[in-house]
């Protein structure tokens, strides 16, 4: 690139200087580098999306729920949103296994379909990964007269 300027003394003589154009990086900045998403991130997103569906009473099997109930009551403990969710995450795809407890009286097929839709939409929107499958195992039905979680023996 050539720059034509005059000398500051006003002599009017053109002064020529050559500057090299510096090109930084190459291409679209969003394509520079890799983004990896941990299994736990996808599990959290899927767990929250599944819990949002009406008819899903809880996530996880009996033992996991019992253990989780005790852990939730420990001071400083927090609810595990990944309980009942297992994800396998690749570079562009993910597969999920969910274990749910449904409320008595709901259509299990309808609830499973709604969970699948909600989980796929949330995971794909937030991560950009293609969800190739969402396997759902219904491990229990919550009856109206059942207690939610067993009381821990340790207070």
């Amino acid at each position: 690139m050539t720059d034509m300027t005059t000398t500051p003394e006003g002599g009017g003589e053109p002064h020529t200087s050559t500057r090299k154009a510096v090109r930084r990086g190459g291409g679209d900045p969003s394509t520079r580098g890799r983004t990896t998403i941990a299994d736990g991130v996808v599990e959290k997103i899927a767990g929250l999306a599944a819990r949002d569906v009406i008819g899903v009473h809880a996530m996880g099997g009996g033992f996991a729920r019992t253990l989780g109930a005790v852990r939730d009551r420990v001071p400083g403990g927090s609810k595990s949103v990944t309980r009942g969710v297992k994800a396998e995450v690749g570079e562009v795809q993910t597969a999920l296994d969910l274990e749910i407890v449904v409320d008595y009286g709901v259509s299990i097929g309808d609830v499973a379909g709604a969970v699948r839709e909600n989980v796929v939409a949330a995971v794909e929107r937030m991560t950009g990964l293609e969800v190739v499958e969402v396997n759902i195992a219904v491990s229990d039905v919550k009856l109206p007269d059942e207690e939610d979680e067993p009381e821990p023996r340790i207070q």
Side-chain angles (χ1 to χ4, degrees):
M1 172 187 279
T2 304
D3 182 21
M4 298 292 284
T5 59
T6 57
T7 58
E9 297 82 30
E13 291 217 21
H15 169 42
T16 10
S17 68
T18 305
R19 289 185 286 167
K20 287 187 179 178
V22 179
R23 182 176 169 101
R24 301 185 194 280
D28 181 16
S30 67
T31 62
R32 297 181 202 169
R34 289 179 12 153
T35 302
T36 57
I37 300 171
D39 293 0
V41 172
V42 175
E43 289 169 356
K44 282 184 179 182
I45 294 167
L48 290 170
R51 283 174 176 79
D52 282 346
V53 174
I54 295 172
V56 174
H57 178 75
M59 300 287 296
F63 180 72
R65 288 195 332 271
T66 302
L67 191 61
V70 172
R71 200 175 325 127
D72 292 345
R73 289 186 173 95
V74 172
S78 61
K79 275 197 164 181
S80 174
V81 296
T82 61
R83 185 183 317 146
V85 183
K86 177 70 179 130
E88 291 180 29
V89 180
E91 288 187 26
V92 294
Q93 295 179 326
T94 186
L96 295 151
D97 294 322
L98 281 72
E99 189 173 357
I100 66 173
V101 176
V102 297
D103 292 320
Y104 177 79
V106 299
S107 165
I108 292 174
D110 290 348
V111 170
V115 166
R116 214 171 258 114
E117 277 184 38
N118 212 31
V119 166
V120 168
V123 170
E124 287 185 347
R125 178 179 54 82
M126 293 181 69
T127 66
L129 296 168
E130 177 191 7
V131 178
V132 292
E133 65 181 11
V134 178
N135 299 310
I136 299 173
V138 179
S139 62
D140 202 359
V141 173
K142 166 65 173 74
L143 301 175
D145 58 346
E146 284 181 330
E147 285 185 31
D148 271 350
E149 301 290 341
E151 287 294 319
R153 294 177 16 183
I154 300 172
Q155 293 287 331

